[in-house]
Amino acid sequence: MATMTLPFGTASVYERTVLELFHEAGINVNGTEVHDIQVHHPGFYRRVLAQGSLGLGESYMDGWWDCPRLDIFFTRLLRVKLEQRVTNRIGIMLAALQARLLNFQLPGLARRNVAQHYNLGNDLFISMLDKRLTYTCGYWKNATTLDEAQDAKLDLTCRKLHMKEGMKVLDIGCGWGSFAKYATEKFAVEVTGITLSEEQLQLGRELCAGLPVKLKLLDYRSVEGKFDRIVSLGMFEHVGLKNYASYFDMVHRCLKDNGLFLLHTIGSNQGSVTTDPWLDKYIFPHTLTPGLDQVIKGVRGRLLLEDLHNFGADYDKTLMAWNQNFTLHFGDLRHHYSERFTRMWQYYLLCCAGIFRARKQQLWQMVFSKGISGGYVSVR
């Protein structure tokens, strides 16, 4: 990864360097376009050059700069690959070394990682998500609203799994039970869902009351039993590269011989062992968006890839809808969340929207089997 040599000297040197870099992306400081930024603190320039994405995000949280349309700002930055030129190289090298030597997703640590994000408060997610509380990418092919897009995604997922009445289904990373509730109501199956978030579990059980749904506080490594279908929507990013083998071993062990497994995950264009420093620190600790080669290596010798569907561009629309909901309902959340948290959360949603709009990350749905007789019929 190419990095730029940081200038040393007066503050004007730092400022000039940042202005030149932003100019390459068509961004002006204190300009009038919606993607231009307004700088409020003179230390902004040095902080960004010294700390890369971490400095950019933290300085925004601290109110050092603003931008009317963060999503467009990030799309422009990423399309000219500025993130590869302004980075804390030493910090990234240390993070990569830690990722290679340590396993941050062992059972005890995994629960702590999940708690930092998913236990923030159900009121936050209720204000932001669709009516079913589906915290994964929607499918917008024929949808015009977030509710429609999430229902379409859940329906597509069930149809890809060729669900039939009476089947037993395992949902790895069940969230608030949106998939479990949809699948049992629409396809008359029985669902066992697992999560590491106590907040999700409590509300999920309330939402699925009276249905053939069992939600459990359980690590995927401890799952027992056999299932006709297994699904995982937006959980694989939390598994960690060192645990891919044990993850797919569990799926292979628990999937019936004629069963199907659907993996829904964010994917990276280029495989890595680390995530963005700001996202790692504030949003999703110790997560990894895998490269396709990393997924295939992890599943090799265990399952057969039957189908691969990329609708990553739909995550841009989903994130923008989440941000619109969060902004609309922010007044109801003020007593629970600080101004700095609010800036952090909107930065997260709009930064990620820019990432997907620039096509730097994808959303993959993969269907696997143990090699079903006669082959698999793809669904779109």
Side-chain angles (χ1 to χ4, degrees), residues 103-113 219 221 239 243:
N103 188 346
F104 291 108
Q105 295 84 20
L106 291 170
L109 295 174
R111 181 173 293 190
R112 188 185 309 166
N113 296 337
D219 188 279
R221 284 160 282 216
V239 171
N243 304 298

Side-chain angles (χ1 to χ4, degrees), residues 237-254:
E237 300 90 334
H238 298 275
V239 171
L241 193 60
K242 285 185 172 294
N243 304 298
Y244 285 0
S246 60
Y247 178 89
F248 286 116
D249 279 343
M250 180 278 295
V251 173
H252 184 271
R253 182 182 75 248
C254 294

